[in-house]
Each structure stands twice: as C-alpha cells, then as structure tokens.
Amino acid sequence: YGEFLAAFETLYGDFVYGPFMIFHSTDWTQYMNSPFSTAGGNHPSETLRTMLLKHPDVAGVERLDRLTSTYTLLFVSMQKETVRFLNGMDVTTYQWDTRGGMQKNFKVGVVQSLLCLSDYTGRCGILHGTTT
C-alpha cells in the first residue's frame, strides 16, 4: 500500500492529478483480493483493492486480462486533459433473415476507443509501474 502511495506522490510531483484508474496485470489479482493487514493492526474484511478504493484519488481498480506482463501497474489520470473517450459508432443492431425467413439473426456492433493525450512537456498522465 505504501508503494501505491509513493506512486501517487510521483504523479503529484509531475503535476498529474486524479482521479486515477489503476489497471493491473493478472498476477496482481492474488494480492488485490487477499486480506490486507497493516502495522497498526489487521483489517480482516479489507483487501488491497478495497483499501485502494478508499483513497480519494482512486476512481477504480481493474484487472486487464490480456496484460500478462510480470506485475505491471498502470495509473491513468482520468482528467479530460489526459484521456478522451472516442465514440466511432454508436451501438447498432443488425438483423437479417435466413432459411427462407424462418430464422432471424442479430448482431450488435460498436466502435469505441480511448485517446490518451499529452501536454507540451510530454507528460501524458500515465504512470507505468513494474518490478525491476
């Protein structure tokens, strides 16, 4: 937990402010969901994930299933100056008939993407953390 707080201080030092989304690799799941304890006493109903969610600058903690790199964390500032959500195509339902009109087929399509921006000094509001 202390290392997470140090990561926040690094971001604050670069004038990047929250709220932050924390994305973690699959190998962090065992630590995010395990009982959390501190030197001041045990918190049997708390996990690292719930402790992080109590932080005022944390918007959420999510696992990225395709991020399988060893112990990787991404802190993303969710400010409009840092990230924007692009909507390429709204949710659209497609329908067509087959088998002489006896069967209806449906598909749903959507195009959405996340655009990460940086300022004139090259700061983009993303902190990448990994083991050394």
Side-chain angles (χ1 to χ4, degrees), residues 29-100:
T29 304
Q30 61 181 329
Y31 301 107
M32 291 291 179
N33 298 332
S34 298
F36 182 80
S37 66
T38 61
N42 291 332
H43 301 276
S45 62
E46 299 287 347
T47 63
L48 179 57
R49 182 184 312 275
T50 58
M51 291 295 286
L52 289 171
L53 289 171
K54 287 182 177 182
H55 192 282
D57 282 338
V58 175
V61 179
E62 296 289 331
R63 180 181 73 199
L64 298 178
D65 291 332
R66 296 189 184 244
L67 184 61
T68 57
S69 179
T70 306
Y71 298 103
T72 300
L73 293 167
L74 295 172
F75 293 76
V76 180
S77 174
M78 300 305 285
Q79 299 286 331
K80 66 180 179 178
E81 296 85 14
T82 306
V83 292
R84 297 220 175 113
F85 190 69
L86 300 178
N87 194 7
M89 180 179 76
D90 286 328
V91 176
T92 306
T93 305
Y94 301 98
Q95 174 184 339
W96 69 96
D97 295 333
T98 55
R99 297 186 182 181

